[in-house]
Amino acid sequence: MDTKLKCLLLDDELPGLTYLKMLCEQIPELEIVKTYNNPEKLLSDFADLDFDLLISDIEMPGIDGLHLAEMLQNKLVIFCTAYKEYAADAFNIDAIDYITKPVKLERLQKAIAKAVERFEKPDTKKKFIQLNTDKGKTLLYFNQIQYIKTALSDSRDKTVLLTDGSFLNLKNIKFDTLLNELPDADFCRVNKKEIVAVKAVKFFNHNEIVLHHLEENNKNASMILSETYRADFLKKVKI
């Protein structure tokens, strides 16, 4: 392979970070740009960083690797973690690979090969739609959406919560129109007034969905899962 991926390494435990760096230095397709043991420091540096791939732990203080990866738009991500239970979440956010610790060189090389292939042949699927808002036209990227609900001010409009915590007000558009445009596997209508991104779901039962998003009262946002849409939702979140 001639491609060299510019790579960031992130692990809050220094021994793990040192070991990961040692492995990566043995892979000729990688150029290590910088290593971090603090996810919030990486985020603060993000605007000034030139990289293609992040290799990251998941459970870290401050912000976990899954949510960090969602904020790094259009960057390739490989997770290295001691925990198996996050695998479904990782692939919901389109991670390249999910490696359980202890990381072995051969396993990491396979993941890097996948990353190089993705880098050389980027996904050509549609990633956004153009819509009217109360502030003019916008390009709404699918990976930025947490949920869409009927606007309180006008039922013909829809309010979108984005991954950065901001809101967009879409003008005069129907849920059916939106669902025809959104990637079917990644979004689900859960009641008459709400669509949720599968990746935004933290917990659920047969009647309620709890999201990762924290509201102003510091409680997780939640929504009703109605019987009409329950089967479709359960199918999409099934591992």
Side-chain angles (χ1 to χ4, degrees), residues 26-181:
Q26 299 176 61
I27 300 176
E29 294 81 25
L30 290 183
E31 174 190 336
I32 300 169
V33 175
K34 201 165 183 178
T35 63
Y36 287 89
N37 69 338
N38 184 324
E40 292 176 343
K41 178 69 169 83
L42 189 158
L43 265 185
S44 69
D45 290 353
F46 177 64
D48 300 317
L49 292 169
D50 178 18
F51 71 101
D52 309 305
L53 169 68
L54 170 67
I55 303 178
S56 176
D57 194 4
I58 290 184
E59 283 207 353
M60 295 177 288
I63 178 171
D64 68 61
L66 293 165
H67 288 93
L68 175 69
E70 287 184 335
M71 298 177 195
L72 307 181
Q73 295 171 24
N74 302 318
K75 300 296 184 182
L76 305 174
V77 180
I78 294 170
F79 290 111
C80 295
T81 176
Y83 303 92
K84 295 180 180 180
E85 62 265 30
Y86 297 110
D89 294 322
F91 291 113
N92 277 338
I93 62 172
D94 207 22
I96 296 291
D97 211 337
Y98 186 95
I99 304 172
T100 50
K101 296 178 179 178
V103 182
K104 295 181 179 179
L105 179 60
E106 183 181 358
R107 180 67 181 86
L108 184 58
Q109 285 173 320
K110 288 181 179 179
I112 299 304
K114 291 182 188 177
V116 170
E117 184 178 4
R118 178 87 66 91
F119 183 76
E120 291 178 336
K121 298 177 182 177
D123 190 358
T124 56
K125 289 187 297 185
K126 190 174 180 182
K127 293 180 171 62
F128 63 85
I129 47 174
Q130 180 179 288
L131 294 168
N132 294 319
T133 76
D134 52 357
K135 297 178 182 177
K137 291 187 180 297
T138 189
L139 298 181
L140 180 60
Y141 283 80
F142 303 141
N143 66 354
Q144 294 180 342
I145 302 169
Q146 294 202 58
Y147 67 65
I148 304 170
K149 58 172 59 179
T150 300
L152 293 175
S153 55
D154 188 331
S155 61
R156 293 170 298 180
D157 297 345
K158 306 294 179 281
T159 299
V160 183
L161 172 67
L162 302 177
T163 51
D164 65 2
S166 64
F167 291 90
L168 273 178
N169 192 44
L170 307 178
K171 298 299 292 180
N172 196 22
I173 189 165
K174 296 179 179 178
F175 278 125
D176 286 346
T177 303
L178 287 167
L179 288 168
N180 284 337
E181 295 287 347

Side-chain angles (χ1 to χ4, degrees), residues 165-227:
S166 64
F167 291 90
L168 273 178
N169 192 44
L170 307 178
K171 298 299 292 180
N172 196 22
I173 189 165
K174 296 179 179 178
F175 278 125
D176 286 346
T177 303
L178 287 167
L179 288 168
N180 284 337
E181 295 287 347
L182 295 169
D184 183 63
D186 300 331
F187 292 89
C188 187
R189 192 165 184 178
V190 295
N191 57 58
K192 287 185 177 181
K193 296 186 176 183
E194 294 173 310
I195 294 171
V196 69
V198 173
K199 69 179 183 183
V201 176
K202 186 172 185 179
F203 305 113
F204 64 89
N205 56 40
H206 278 278
N207 302 305
E208 184 184 30
I209 297 166
V210 178
L211 307 183
H212 290 287
H213 175 68
L214 293 177
E215 297 185 320
E216 290 181 1
N217 59 7
N218 215 33
K219 291 185 177 180
N220 293 80
S222 64
M223 50 185 61
I224 294 168
L225 176 57
S226 74
E227 185 176 356

